Amino acid sequence: MNKKMIDWPTFIGALVLLLAVTVPLVLFPEAGKEIVSQANAFMTGNFGALYMIMGLVIFVFLLFVAFSKNGRIKLGDEGEKPEFGTFSWAAMLFAAGIGSSILYWAVIEWAYYYQGPPFGITPESKEAIQWATAYGIFHWGPVAWAIYILPALPIAYFYYVRKKPVLKVSEAVRPVLGKTVDGPIGNLIDILFMFGLLGGAGTTLALGAPMIAHGINDLTGLDVTLGLQAGVMVLCAVIFAISSYSGLRRGIKVLSDINIWLALFLLAFIFILGPTRFIMETTFNSLGILLDNFFKMATWMEPFGNLAQFEETQFPESWTIFYWAWWLVYAPFVGLFVARISRGRTIRQMILGTMIYGTIGCILFFGIMGNFGLYMQLTGQFDVVSFMDTNGAPATIIEIINQLPLAKFMVLVFTILAIIFLATTFDSSSYILASVVQKTVEGEPLRWNRLFWAFALSIMPMVLMFLGGLDTLQTASIVGGFPLIFIMFLLAWSFIKASNTDIRASDDYEPPTIHIKRWKRKNKKRSALEVMQEKDRDDK
Ligand code: NM2
């Protein structure tokens, strides 16, 4: 009976697609790399604008929904209180959507912008510093969180308003595609989503594993070998296998609680014992730059960059477009998760809460950790840039943490935090992947199914890491995530269609005033006396 619960076309389809991409890469790594990098250049080069437009359109659309009648819809019954308090809700949301990559990029992203700034600015100049502090926040800010929250709209709506639990992305587009979702198109939508998520998580692992390995190297002196990195992956897999075995509530909740407190401790420590005033002023200052230039940043495509007389930086392709694509592949997954924890909130609270709390969380990480590194650089206490040139980013990140008081202890905290962050992302990803390939889920997805996807999530990047093709997998995921742009559009449409239909049908619906007037006038029965009086008036 277990077997009957599985949606085999989706299960096998996702597996086949994954094998179809990874096996040739394993067999022909060089040729495979070449093809994928060409595909990547083609996509980001030709369709980059599409990603940028998507980000901005989703942002504006969600603000519009939040303040419209649809935004006032409650996810649940009247009088129902939110299932989780706001702090827990925000913490779970953050833990699900954000993984170890924030520790990586918050510490080091500024150094890339400092050396390769946008808008034709001179590298390492005063202006470059200003942009370096603001751009990270932009890439982890409101547009990014808007991409995350869009799929949660239809999913949460079906869960708590129409009371039809949605486990699949394909189910969430039923109002638009109708019965078509029961056929291969529905399977294809789910497969594309799963493929995107596997690729997105591969990127997370590709960044996280070497950073954790360098942390372990710093603490124990073990060499950072491929073996150590593979060990890190196995360790994370074991943690999330255990937590996945013990069930969603206990596993994910315990880990995300530890996660949030440890993260707050780390941030508070750096803020108080680090350059407090510099951090405060620089973060505040970068908020101003961000607000002032929001649309400029959200639309900057470097259109003249490829003309011979100008130097092309590839900044939009390497950063903004890459980021939007990366947030995109995670979005349906986060949507499925956020929808589940948002019972009792209104759509508006869910949208604004995610955008505001998500952004604030990221600002804390980037503002505190990033500006600490920048301070080291600018005061000459630690030359981050030249250290990074020779030792690479992961080692530099650990070295920056090493500049703190109680250095070894802080590296330990940082490394543990990175491991938990990685494990929670993997834990919830495998949970969602397993749900998507099941027809029905009673309580929780089947254990073997969850473990299978937990395994698939780590085994593929591991094989590729040994072959040195992990970059290729990341790129493949970005390329593979391309169809999700259209799925996002379907998701938005579905939500609007379903909620508008229900709003219209609901009891308190009042036709627009103009209708009422016409209706009244047309149907008004006048007495003979009234008709005569009117005629009199007209004659006069
Ligand atoms: N995002 C937020 O690795 C991670 O932190 C997971 C990454 C999409 C950039 C999410």
Side-chain angles (χ1 to χ4, degrees):
M1 88 128 209
N2 265 358
K3 296 233 162 70
K4 279 207 192 119
M5 287 170 78
I6 301 289
D7 177 358
W8 289 108
T10 311
F11 190 106
I12 294 174
L15 205 58
V16 167
L17 186 60
L18 200 62
L19 293 175
V21 173
T22 43
V23 171
L25 288 178
V26 172
L27 296 178
F28 315 103
E30 287 313 312
K33 245 185 205 173
E34 189 51 38
I35 293 174
V36 177
S37 93
Q38 275 176 14
N40 183 39
F42 180 77
M43 288 292 189
T44 52
N46 293 310
F47 297 107
L50 208 55
Y51 281 99
M52 302 288 281
I53 294 170
M54 172 198 75
L56 205 53
V57 167
I58 291 179
F59 177 72
V60 174
F61 170 75
L62 287 180
L63 285 184
F64 169 75
V65 170
F67 292 104
S68 70
K69 203 167 184 175
N70 313 50
R72 296 211 303 267
I73 298 173
K74 180 145 188 195
L75 300 166
D77 301 321
E78 232 197 293
E80 198 172 316
K81 290 245 154 43
E83 188 179 352
F84 297 101
T86 304
F87 183 79
S88 290
W89 181 77
M92 280 201 266
L93 165 93
F94 201 80
I98 298 293
S100 49
S101 313
I102 200 162
L103 296 178
Y104 190 104
W105 290 118
V107 177
I108 207 70
E109 196 160 320
W110 64 268
Y112 287 89
Y113 302 148
Y114 176 65
Q115 290 175 284
F119 313 123
I121 288 162
T122 317
E124 303 190 13
S125 61
K126 202 171 167 194
E127 237 190 321
I129 299 173
Q130 304 245 8
W131 286 105
T133 60
Y135 244 104
I137 299 178
F138 175 68
H139 288 145
W140 294 72
V143 175
W145 284 93
I147 297 176
Y148 256 11
I149 200 66
L150 180 94
L153 258 57
I155 297 170
Y157 189 77
F158 295 133
Y159 242 90
Y160 299 123
V161 180
R162 289 201 170 174
K163 310 253 189 293
K164 283 198 195 105
V166 170
L167 298 165
K168 300 165 191 273
V169 180
S170 60
E171 270 308 316
V173 295
R174 192 178 280 280
V176 173
L177 295 185
K179 284 211 161 54
T180 329
V181 295
D182 295 321
I185 299 267
N187 292 330
L188 184 69
I189 290 179
D190 291 327
I191 291 168
L192 288 174
F193 150 61
M194 292 179 73
F195 182 66
L197 179 55
L198 283 163
T203 307
T204 296
L205 207 58
L207 292 169
M211 179 175 75
I212 294 169
H214 276 279
I216 295 176
N217 159 272
D218 194 66
L219 294 166
T220 62
L222 285 174
D223 281 346
V224 181
T225 55
L226 280 181
L228 181 62
Q229 297 194 39
V232 168
M233 289 192 194
V234 172
L235 178 69
C236 290
V238 168
I239 294 179
F240 69 71
I242 295 172
S243 111
S244 144
Y245 236 83
S246 60
L248 174 74
R249 291 217 144 243
R250 262 193 299 147
I252 297 185
K253 199 154 184 330
V254 169
L255 282 181
S256 43
D257 280 354
I258 300 178
N259 205 8
I260 207 83
W261 290 114
L262 213 52
L264 286 176
F265 168 74
L266 181 72
L267 291 175
F269 188 93
I270 302 179
F271 181 62
I272 295 167
L273 296 178
T276 312
R277 186 171 153 201
F278 178 83
I279 289 176
M280 221 151 59
E281 289 179 357
T282 315
T283 309
F284 196 56
N285 191 62
S286 49
L287 286 182
I289 298 177
L290 180 68
L291 288 172
D292 221 10
N293 296 283
F294 180 79
F295 289 105
K296 179 173 171 177
M297 292 157 108
T299 53
W300 189 55
M301 292 291 308
E302 200 180 27
F304 320 112
N306 49 7
L307 301 180
Q309 64 270 44
F310 303 112
E311 210 184 317
E312 193 176 8
T313 61
Q314 291 271 332
F315 187 96
E317 287 85 353
S318 333
W319 293 104
T320 314
I321 295 166
F322 160 73
Y323 261 125
W324 284 186
W326 193 17
W327 286 82
L328 177 68
V329 289
Y330 266 102
F333 150 66
V334 177
L336 281 157
F337 190 83
V338 173
R340 282 189 194 190
I341 59 171
S342 298
R343 182 185 200 125
R345 291 174 186 274
T346 59
I347 300 265
R348 178 188 299 173
Q349 282 172 335
M350 188 173 81
I351 295 177
L352 297 183
T354 309
M355 285 208 232
I356 295 171
Y357 297 128
T359 304
I360 291 179
C362 291
I363 291 176
L364 285 180
F365 276 89
F366 276 76
I368 295 175
M369 300 177 106
N371 289 326
F372 171 68
L374 179 66
Y375 184 80
M376 293 289 125
Q377 173 78 38
L378 297 181
T379 54
Q381 290 182 49
F382 172 50
D383 189 351
V384 176
V385 169
S386 56
F387 190 88
M388 189 160 92
D389 281 346
T390 37
N391 301 291
T396 314
I397 294 168
I398 298 297
E399 208 40 49
I400 291 178
I401 301 299
N402 247 325
Q403 308 303 311
L404 286 166
L406 298 177
K408 287 291 168 254
F409 175 67
M410 292 320 283
V411 171
L412 180 68
V413 170
F414 185 86
T415 310
I416 292 176
L417 191 59
I419 293 174
I420 301 180
F421 252 130
L422 204 56
T424 45
T425 308
F426 267 48
D427 190 358
S428 15
S429 311
S430 56
Y431 184 93
I432 293 294
L433 288 170
S435 311
V436 172
V437 295
Q438 269 186 226
K439 284 193 204 128
T440 50
V441 175
E442 285 152 16
E444 309 234 307
L446 300 171
R447 269 188 187 164
W448 72 262
N449 187 17
R450 263 156 59 194
L451 286 181
F452 177 84
W453 290 106
F455 189 63
L457 270 173
S458 43
I459 240 355
M460 294 295 170
M462 208 133 66
V463 170
L464 282 152
M465 196 171 72
F466 275 107
L467 292 158
L470 208 48
D471 293 349
T472 316
L473 181 76
Q474 294 171 27
T475 328
S477 81
I478 303 302
V479 176
F482 184 67
L484 283 177
I485 296 184
F486 305 100
I487 297 178
M488 289 293 258
F489 172 69
L490 290 178
L491 287 165
W493 187 4
S494 278
F495 168 72
I496 288 295
K497 193 170 170 191
S499 57
N500 278 354
T501 313
D502 295 348
I503 289 175
R504 245 177 258 133
S506 79
D507 291 339
D508 60 354
Y509 169 67
E510 286 172 10
T513 12
I514 193 152
H515 271 287
I516 303 174
K517 280 192 182 150
R518 264 200 215 125
W519 182 83
K520 276 189 184 153
R521 201 175 280 162
K522 235 191 256 162
N523 292 281
K524 203 172 169 193
K525 287 211 173 82
R526 289 170 301 172
S527 65
L529 183 68
E530 276 177 313
V531 175
M532 281 172 60
Q533 279 172 347
E534 247 177 55
K535 201 167 173 302
D536 259 349
R537 237 182 287 135
D538 286 349
D539 287 348
K540 272 178 202 160

